[in-house]
Amino acid sequence: MASRDDSPAARHRRTASEESGVLGTALTTRHIEAFGRKVTTTASHLIGDPSSSIHYQHAMSELQKELRRPGIQQRVFSYAKASPTELVRSKLSTSEIQHRALTYLPDEILANIPEDENVYSLFQGFQATLPEEESERRKKQRRSNLKGQKLLEGADDEEPTTPLEKLKKERQKLNHKLEMMSVRKNMCSSEIREIDNKISNLNTMRKIVLDRLGDLEQDEVQMEQDLLEADNRLEDMLEELDDAATLNPTATPPTEIDIETEITEEETSFMSASIYEKLPSPKAKRHKPSRRKSMPIRHEHFEAGSSIKEFQAHNDMITALDFDAPFGTMVTSALDDTVRVWDLNLGRCIGLLEGHHASVRCLQVEDNIAATGSMDASIRLWDLSQAEYSTRLDSTKEEDAEDDGFAFEDSNETPQPPQTSSMQSCPLFSLEAHVAEVTALHFRGDTLVSGSADKTLRQWDLVKGRCVQTLDVLWAAAQASSTMNSGSNNDGQWRTTGRLPDASADFVGALQCFDAALACGTADGMVRLWDLRSGQVHRSLVGHTGPVTCLQFDDVHLVTGSLDRSIRIWDLRTGSIHDAYAYDNPITSMMFDSRRIVAAAGEPVAKIYDKTDGRHWDCGAGMNAEEEGRSPASVERVTVKDGYLTEGRKDGVVGIWTSAGEALSDIA
Amino acid sequence: MAYRLPDAADADSPLKPDELAVLRAQYEKEGPYVGVQTKFNYAWGLIKSSSRSEQQEGVRLLSEIFRNEPNRRRECLYYLALGNYKLGNYQEARRYNDLLLDHEPANLQAASLRGLIDDKVAKDGLMGVAILSGVAIAAAGVGAMILRGARRR
């Protein structure tokens, strides 16, 4: 640009220094001026001159046209698919970059685009949701407007004047509405389908988690076994150390605290307030010392009425069964004269309780203690924690008989020699005073009450192991009729039931005690409430027309079942009937937990009455037996605890079901 | 069926705030198990908005729908293209729109959107070229001056 040779040296030096001082660049003012002049002259020549402006404009419009056409533009800008501003924004702003990262869809997703099979498009769905609100608002507006305005508006809308057009418009509108309606309908149905899909998804997830829970509980049992072993070893070690240290033989006599409180105060109500208040509510969590530290909860998550296990426990009719806790230990007895102990978690037989000379008619399991009442008129107690049983070993061995005459032997006093028999160290003692078969028993704490075919009830002290009271039912009935003979009140009298007394029915069908309160149901259909302190009957509940076979009370209600096919729920405070319902066959067994009354009523299913929602339903093998072509025997005995239901049938099969489902958690 | 897709111009008419509030309330009410339609309604309402952050949120929701609902993907492509177009992300917009046109060459709305995107890109491009060339000239001038000044020394 700059020429060095044609300018004088001095001048050049001066201007150069001047320029560099001002601008700091190599351009001189002269050159800028010259450049500017050139540009302006060219421009003015092109634009200003009317003769040449045509060419310029033509060229420019041509160029513009070219540029407007997308084809060219694309060619021009194909090197960058994004515009420069976009590029700048996407590279520099952090929020933009974040947004892009969030919304970026990888190519593999983009490649997978299935055919559009939807009945309506999302946009149609959008329209179907929105316009309704809009039109409503418009209507409201119109209504609020003045009449004159309405007319004006009508004119503005240029409504069709001819009736034909009007009708056509109306028709069009209706068509549109109809279309929208169908879109909405389809929206609903597709939404339902969506929800169904979600539900099935959730169900499969639930199943997976449930399986996981099952595995965990299995592991838990294993772990507890390990813990127990460790505890035992630790105890042994400590004992040895103690022995070595003191050299004193440690006699460990069990402290026999005299808890016989013979209070003979007369009570007029069925239960004195002191006892009544102590009655535990089933809703309150029982804090009993359990052999197990953890509570299995799996069954609570099963669908209500679903089967947990089913197995052939005996070869003959089940006469009694009970268990300590869900997935705990169960004891069953049958007419085949055996008493079996089961591990409910693994569904295995731990062993046999042997000692009775005849079949067991009634039994109860509480924590580790089992009590059995037999047709040989004796009652035996067993300590199930003494069973030599490991969950790992397959110990279905059935051991040789234990000698009886083991009575009054406390497990605390006996050391634990290595046993060969799994159940050898289980028997505690036997209670023998009845002169006929024991048909019902119940124990709580240190008190056991039993009912026998010799028409007496006996109260036993489990610490001393002897009978402390004998209650003669017939004597009490006679007493009641003689003392309360006034008027039509014949409560307490021994009644002959409406039908012929069933020879097979037990004289004492069921009983339950709590502290000094005792309730018993007898073959005459009466339910008598006793006070063990006075040995008197306080109240008799009349209502059943057949022998009472089962009975249970909690803090509010007393529930009884009878061979007259009915189940009656009595109010415990007032003694009046609270509710009653009947089945088709005589009730042979009944038990309730916090929510449901479960009964065995000569059907292949257990009958369940839900107290909270009043629903009757069946649970058991008979439910879908027809389509499976089986014919399960009728249920004879039921036991339910915390929604865990076991039932024993006429053919010796024991079924375990859940009656709770999720409902159990609702109560808590 | 009358029309299954909105015109591009439809995206430029924002909803009234209370209308959008209704859609948002519905969307929030359904929580984590929100239905596709509800989600779309809200997303579309957001895209129609004139606020940039709301538009971005709308595009984000749409991309979620796209991921989770394979049988709505084809439709979603169009809305994604439209949303990105409104946001000025022409590269993305073109990517989605071209994909949609691959599947449905006869789609009028997509075709017109392609035209719109091309126009916008071209305009921005021209402006960009103008700016760039201006910058280039200035840089060249400055460079030349430096060069000359250096040579004078």
Side-chain angles (χ1 to χ4, degrees):
Chain A
M1 217 198 238
S3 51
R4 228 182 285 171
D5 40 351
D6 56 352
S7 59
R11 197 185 154 191
H12 172 79
R13 213 175 293 121
R14 188 179 52 83
T15 37
S17 63
E18 205 181 80
E19 292 302 324
S20 59
V22 174
L23 287 169
T25 60
L27 269 178
T28 61
T29 33
R30 208 160 51 90
H31 277 107
I32 293 169
E33 270 166 32
F35 179 68
R37 227 178 295 128
K38 261 179 220 160
V39 169
T40 39
T41 45
T42 330
S44 64
H45 177 74
L46 278 171
I47 304 159
D49 190 14
S51 59
S52 61
S53 68
I54 301 155
H55 299 288
Y56 171 74
Q57 275 169 357
H58 186 69
M60 285 314 267
S61 63
E62 195 85 321
L63 189 72
Q64 263 187 326
K65 251 187 243 162
E66 285 276 274
L67 284 173
R68 281 242 176 84
R69 239 184 283 154
I72 302 291
Q73 284 171 357
Q74 264 181 313
R75 228 177 296 144
V76 169
F77 298 107
S78 57
Y79 65 92
K81 284 225 166 172
S83 73
T85 41
E86 189 191 349
L87 271 175
V88 169
R89 206 168 42 215
S90 64
K91 292 290 179 290
L92 297 180
S93 158
T94 44
S95 71
E96 282 293 327
I97 291 164
Q98 266 179 354
H99 173 247
R100 283 191 181 233
L102 274 176
T103 57
Y104 184 74
L105 295 169
D107 284 329
E108 56 261 38
I109 300 186
L110 286 176
N112 172 26
I113 293 175
E115 279 297 311
D116 195 343
E117 285 158 355
N118 297 302
V119 192
Y120 65 96
S121 77
L122 286 169
F123 182 63
Q124 283 169 324
F126 176 78
Q127 279 184 316
T129 11
L130 204 64
E132 203 167 43
E133 292 149 24
E134 250 176 304
S135 60
E136 261 170 34
R137 196 179 307 119
R138 229 170 273 151
K139 262 184 224 159
K140 238 183 253 172
Q141 266 179 353
R142 252 184 226 179
R143 232 172 276 140
S144 66
N145 277 347
L146 291 171
K147 271 183 190 173
Q149 273 179 324
K150 197 174 172 184
L151 279 173
L152 272 174
E153 212 177 298
D156 283 346
D157 282 352
E158 287 172 39
E159 274 187 8
T161 41
T162 61
L164 187 69
E165 272 179 58
K166 230 182 231 174
L167 274 177
K168 270 186 183 169
K169 200 154 191 187
E170 194 71 30
R171 184 173 168 275
Q172 208 179 328
K173 217 189 276 175
L174 286 176
N175 259 333
H176 179 72
K177 273 189 186 166
L178 199 65
E179 201 175 294
M180 281 295 134
M181 212 72 90
S182 82
V183 168
R184 268 178 223 143
K185 227 172 69 184
N186 284 323
M187 275 165 70
C188 283
S189 76
S190 76
E191 211 163 313
I192 289 170
R193 222 172 299 128
E194 228 172 85
I195 290 170
D196 284 347
N197 280 339
K198 277 180 197 164
I199 290 174
S200 70
N201 266 351
L202 288 174
N203 270 331
T204 46
M205 270 169 65
R206 187 180 189 283
K207 211 169 158 245
I208 291 166
V209 178
L210 195 65
D211 287 347
R212 205 184 304 152
L213 181 67
D215 289 347
L216 283 175
E217 285 193 349
Q218 207 83 356
D219 293 351
E220 200 178 49
V221 170
Q222 204 90 334
M223 214 54 101
E224 261 172 30
Q225 196 71 23
D226 291 349
L227 184 72
L228 206 72
E229 269 170 33
D231 276 353
N232 284 341
R233 245 177 282 148
L234 191 74
E235 227 170 83
D236 290 350
M237 193 80 84
L238 282 175
E239 251 170 53
E240 273 171 36
L241 283 174
D242 274 1
D243 286 352
T246 55
L247 287 169
N248 280 342
T250 47
T252 54
T255 48
E256 287 182 18
I257 308 154
D258 194 24
I259 46 146
E260 267 180 284
T261 45
E262 234 85 42
I263 311 157
T264 45
E265 60 178 288
E266 205 63 39
E267 293 281 343
T268 44
S269 69
F270 154 57
M271 259 186 221
S272 64
S274 60
I275 298 174
Y276 191 85
E277 259 133 45
K278 276 189 262 174
L279 271 173
S281 165
K283 283 147 204 157
K285 203 84 185 161
R286 279 172 298 167
H287 289 288
K288 54 180 183 190
S290 176
R291 187 164 51 95
R292 299 196 51 184
K293 280 190 177 158
S294 52
M295 269 295 282
I297 50 163
R298 198 177 351 151
H299 69 287
E300 291 171 16
H301 299 287
F302 284 134
E303 201 183 323
S306 58
S307 171
I308 297 172
K309 217 159 243 149
E310 196 171 6
F311 50 91
Q312 184 80 38
H314 292 271
N315 297 320
D316 210 335
M317 187 177 106
I318 306 284
T319 53
L321 84 169
D322 197 17
F323 60 96
D324 58 350
F327 294 102
T329 308
M330 177 173 73
V331 178
T332 58
S333 68
L335 281 183
D336 62 5
D337 288 1
T338 57
V339 182
R340 285 170 190 264
V341 186
W342 303 85
D343 179 346
L344 286 177
N345 198 43
L346 299 173
R348 282 206 298 237
C349 181
I350 299 172
L352 279 82
L353 298 177
E354 291 178 323
H356 282 298
H357 302 299
S359 62
V360 165
R361 291 294 317 275
C362 51
L363 62 88
Q364 188 188 347
V365 183
E366 203 70 52
D367 291 337
N368 290 320
I369 306 296
T372 51
S374 165
M375 287 172 94
D376 66 7
S378 70
I379 298 161
R380 277 168 190 270
L381 277 104
W382 318 79
D383 185 355
L384 297 179
S385 65
Q386 299 299 313
E388 292 281 307
Y389 168 68
S390 158
T391 48
R392 255 160 285 186
L393 294 170
D394 194 67
S395 56
T396 41
K397 46 188 172 184
E398 284 144 34
E399 290 304 325
D400 49 329
E402 174 85 3
D403 272 37
D404 40 290
F406 218 98
F408 303 107
E409 193 150 24
D410 202 292
S411 65
N412 289 349
E413 287 166 328
T414 53
Q416 293 153 29
Q419 299 282 332
T420 48
S421 155
S422 61
M423 287 292 155
Q424 212 157 32
S425 54
C426 282
L428 294 177
F429 49 84
S430 84
L431 307 169
E432 291 167 0
H434 281 296
V435 293
E437 61 177 284
V438 178
T439 56
L441 66 82
H442 184 267
F443 72 93
R444 192 190 158 77
D446 290 330
T447 307
L448 184 145
V449 287
S450 60
S452 163
D454 63 9
K455 298 182 173 52
T456 60
L457 311 176
R458 280 174 190 270
Q459 180 190 353
W460 307 82
D461 184 334
L462 291 184
V463 175
K464 289 178 178 160
R466 60 184 174 87
C467 177
V468 291
Q469 189 168 210
T470 305
L471 306 166
D472 191 326
V473 178
L474 286 176
W475 178 82
Q479 193 82 357
S481 63
S482 62
T483 52
M484 300 189 290
N485 224 353
S486 55
S488 61
N489 187 357
N490 59 348
D491 278 13
Q493 223 171 340
W494 184 260
R495 310 181 312 149
T496 45
T497 48
R499 60 190 66 198
L500 278 170
D502 196 341
S504 66
D506 297 324
F507 181 82
V508 179
L511 45 76
Q512 185 186 345
C513 67
F514 180 83
D515 209 358
L518 167 70
C520 88
T522 47
D524 61 347
M526 295 266 280
V527 177
R528 290 184 175 77
L529 308 175
W530 304 71
D531 190 325
L532 288 176
R533 294 169 294 197
S534 63
Q536 300 275 333
V537 173
H538 278 295
R539 177 169 274 155
S540 303
L541 306 176
V542 187
H544 282 298
T545 54
V548 175
T549 52
C550 43
L551 166 160
Q552 190 190 347
F553 60 81
D554 63 2
D555 55 340
V556 186
H557 293 128
L558 169 73
V559 183
T560 55
S562 160
L563 292 183
D564 69 1
R565 308 195 310 270
S566 73
I567 286 190
R568 284 166 194 266
I569 305 167
W570 313 80
D571 191 305
L572 207 52
R573 269 181 206 274
T574 63
S576 61
I577 196 139
H578 174 261
D579 197 3
Y581 56 92
Y583 292 120
D584 298 334
N585 294 303
I587 315 289
T588 52
S589 171
M590 178 280 306
M591 192 163 173
F592 65 84
D593 62 4
S594 56
R595 184 161 171 174
R596 295 164 193 85
I597 299 175
V598 181
E603 287 178 47
V605 290
K607 313 293 279 187
I608 298 174
Y609 173 63
D610 199 311
K611 283 191 276 186
T612 43
D613 56 15
R615 190 167 62 102
H616 284 278
W617 53 289
D618 296 344
C619 169
M623 289 295 287
N624 43 17
E626 270 127 56
E627 57 249 44
E628 285 169 29
R630 296 179 296 124
S631 53
S634 62
V635 172
E636 198 64 25
R637 291 282 176 268
V638 290
T639 313
V640 64
K641 272 175 193 169
D642 295 335
Y644 188 87
L645 165 67
T646 60
E647 43 99 1
R649 302 184 207 143
K650 273 214 160 96
D651 59 358
V653 173
V654 168
I656 302 165
W657 312 80
T658 171
S659 66
E662 290 73 55
L664 206 89
S665 55
D666 300 351
I667 296 166
Chain B
M1 286 284 166
Y3 37 85
R4 296 176 66 92
L5 293 174
D7 288 328
D10 203 352
D12 284 326
S13 56
L15 292 174
K16 295 184 192 73
D18 53 337
E19 282 173 340
L20 188 60
V22 167
L23 294 178
R24 179 182 293 126
Q26 180 67 24
Y27 172 74
E28 279 163 3
K29 198 182 82 186
E30 294 188 23
Y33 302 109
V34 63
V36 192
Q37 185 64 55
T38 312
K39 202 167 183 173
F40 170 78
N41 287 353
Y42 183 45
W44 181 234
L46 285 171
I47 285 180
K48 278 158 83 86
S49 151
S50 47
S51 141
R52 190 176 167 79
S53 60
E54 285 185 349
Q55 290 167 12
Q56 283 184 339
E57 178 67 9
V59 171
R60 195 183 61 75
L61 288 179
L62 277 174
S63 67
E64 274 179 27
I65 297 176
F66 188 91
R67 272 174 221 273
N68 301 334
E69 305 290 333
N71 59 348
R72 287 291 186 191
R73 279 188 179 167
R74 195 169 281 204
E75 282 174 71
C76 270
L77 275 180
Y78 178 71
Y79 299 105
L80 280 168
L82 203 51
N84 276 309
Y85 166 71
K86 264 198 93 175
L87 279 170
N89 303 334
Y90 303 116
Q91 193 180 358
E92 292 290 302
R94 186 176 282 160
R95 181 167 164 232
Y96 299 134
N97 202 43
D98 287 354
L99 193 59
L100 179 59
L101 280 172
D102 283 352
H103 285 280
E104 294 177 13
N107 191 321
L108 286 176
Q109 280 92 356
S112 79
L113 182 60
R114 168 181 263 177
L116 283 171
I117 296 169
D118 287 344
D119 272 6
K120 260 289 182 8
V121 170
K123 217 183 278 170
D124 277 20
L126 267 184
M127 217 185 293
V129 165
I131 293 165
L132 272 182
S133 51
V135 168
I137 287 165
V142 169
M145 275 191 218
I146 292 166
L147 196 73
R148 202 178 148 190
R151 283 194 185 165
R152 282 279 154 84
R153 281 281 146 86

